[in-house]
Amino acid sequence: MGRRPRHRDPVGSIGYIDPEHCDGLNVLTAKNDVYGFGVVIIELLTVKRAILKDAKDGITPLLSVVDLAVPAILALDLVKILDPKVSPPDPDEALAVELVAYSAVHCVSLEGKNIPTMADIVLNLERALAICNLSLIHISEPTRPLY
């Protein structure tokens, strides 16, 4: 029979674990999951894994995609981190992408008290989807002659 993990041991994959949980607070809450979800959102935006490895020297410590993306998002430089294979978003889509990116930044806050609830994140994702849907409606409307 396998042993159950002790409550104080961090459980999860490196890169997705809430740093507060790893730093010894040892309390599991729903916000631990929100942190990991924020990492997944950042992975989707950047098309990079949670932990980036520098295979060149083998000495450099592991870098988190959070450490790479959050400063760029906060500096309003989303183009720097978005997947270069995807064409840049149109203005309405850009607003939706910004909303998703800022939501992810809040998810990966280093202080648990600043991490939003999953319900808050769902509301922001629904708002981003609504912005994209409105954009599609405007694109699909036939243009009328001005005479």
Side-chain angles (χ1 to χ4, degrees), residues 89-142:
D90 69 35
D92 289 332
E93 290 172 337
L95 182 61
V97 171
E98 285 176 16
L99 182 56
V100 170
Y102 284 120
S103 297
V105 167
H106 289 288
C107 288
V108 297
S109 172
L110 295 178
E111 293 186 46
K113 67 181 182 181
N114 296 332
I115 294 177
T117 65
M118 189 56 84
D120 292 333
I121 297 305
V122 168
L123 286 174
N124 278 347
L125 295 177
E126 287 174 343
R127 286 177 53 207
L129 181 59
I131 291 168
C132 288
N133 287 340
L134 285 175
S135 175
L136 290 174
I137 290 169
H138 293 306
I139 291 171
S140 64
E141 289 178 353

Side-chain angles (χ1 to χ4, degrees), residues 16-132:
Y16 300 93
I17 301 173
D18 179 358
E20 271 194 359
H21 185 68
C22 290
D23 288 342
L25 292 182
N26 301 324
V27 177
L28 290 174
T29 69
K31 292 194 176 194
N32 300 112
D33 292 333
V34 174
Y35 182 91
F37 185 67
V39 174
V40 171
I41 292 172
I42 291 172
E43 284 181 308
L44 291 171
L45 291 170
T46 63
V47 191
K48 295 188 182 328
R49 293 180 182 254
I51 297 296
L52 309 171
K53 297 178 182 176
D54 184 6
K56 295 177 185 170
D57 64 11
I59 300 169
T60 306
L62 298 177
L63 177 68
S64 166
V65 71
V66 170
D67 296 331
L68 171 82
V70 169
I73 293 168
L74 294 176
L76 304 175
D77 197 5
L78 280 174
V79 174
K80 182 178 178 181
I81 64 159
L82 293 177
D83 181 2
K85 295 177 188 169
V86 176
S87 62
D90 69 35
D92 289 332
E93 290 172 337
L95 182 61
V97 171
E98 285 176 16
L99 182 56
V100 170
Y102 284 120
S103 297
V105 167
H106 289 288
C107 288
V108 297
S109 172
L110 295 178
E111 293 186 46
K113 67 181 182 181
N114 296 332
I115 294 177
T117 65
M118 189 56 84
D120 292 333
I121 297 305
V122 168
L123 286 174
N124 278 347
L125 295 177
E126 287 174 343
R127 286 177 53 207
L129 181 59
I131 291 168
C132 288

